[in-house]
Amino acid sequence: MFDFGGMLSGALDAADNAVSSVLGGLSSAGSWMQSNPGAATLLGSALVAGGSYMENRETQKTQKRMRDDEWAREDRIRDENGVPQLTPIEYQVTPGLAGDGMTMGGSLTNGLLANIQKNKKGGN
């Protein structure tokens, strides 16, 4: 038959030893950090940087997955509906409005620029 009491006692002893080892390690690590504050700060900064990298990596993976899903939806819609046929936009410039009207006998040459020329001649 099994001796459950002995097995439980052995498991508890092993757990107690493990906890004691961890606490002893933490105690010695704390002592080391107190005696080496510069190295402890450097080590802490490296751990924070590593954690930030891991977090950003997961965020970037999520963003890439979302972008790929969006592109897949767009491709599926394009496959179902076809590619729309777009007509190019054509622009026409009518002579005599902005171009000719302002420079060839328009407001710039007869008005504003003419007054500037008169002021220059009159000031000399």
Side-chain angles (χ1 to χ4, degrees):
M1 296 258 302
F2 291 113
D3 182 16
F4 289 111
M7 288 174 50
L8 184 60
S9 176
L12 289 175
D13 288 340
D16 185 44
N17 288 336
V19 169
S20 295
S21 296
V22 168
L23 291 178
L26 288 176
S27 176
S28 63
S31 299
W32 178 82
M33 285 191 277
Q34 286 178 347
S35 63
N36 300 306
T41 301
L42 182 64
L43 181 61
S45 298
L47 290 173
V48 168
S52 295
Y53 169 76
M54 296 299 285
E55 180 182 4
N56 289 338
R57 193 174 85 182
E58 290 301 317
T59 302
Q60 289 173 351
K61 282 182 183 179
T62 302
Q63 288 174 349
K64 182 184 182 306
R65 193 172 25 253
M66 290 172 60
R67 185 193 65 219
D68 291 346
D69 290 345
E70 182 180 355
W71 287 353
R73 277 192 306 274
E74 289 174 359
D75 287 344
R76 189 179 64 245
I77 290 170
R78 200 172 296 117
D79 289 344
E80 291 172 359
N81 300 327
V83 177
Q85 297 297 319
L86 302 176
T87 56
I89 297 174
E90 295 180 12
Y91 295 98
Q92 293 180 351
V93 177
T94 305
L97 294 178
D100 291 338
M102 294 182 76
T103 57
M104 306 292 251
S107 61
L108 282 179
T109 54
N110 288 340
L112 183 63
L113 292 177
N115 287 335
I116 292 174
Q117 292 297 325
K118 286 179 190 176
N119 289 337
K120 282 185 181 179
K121 288 180 184 176
N124 286 334

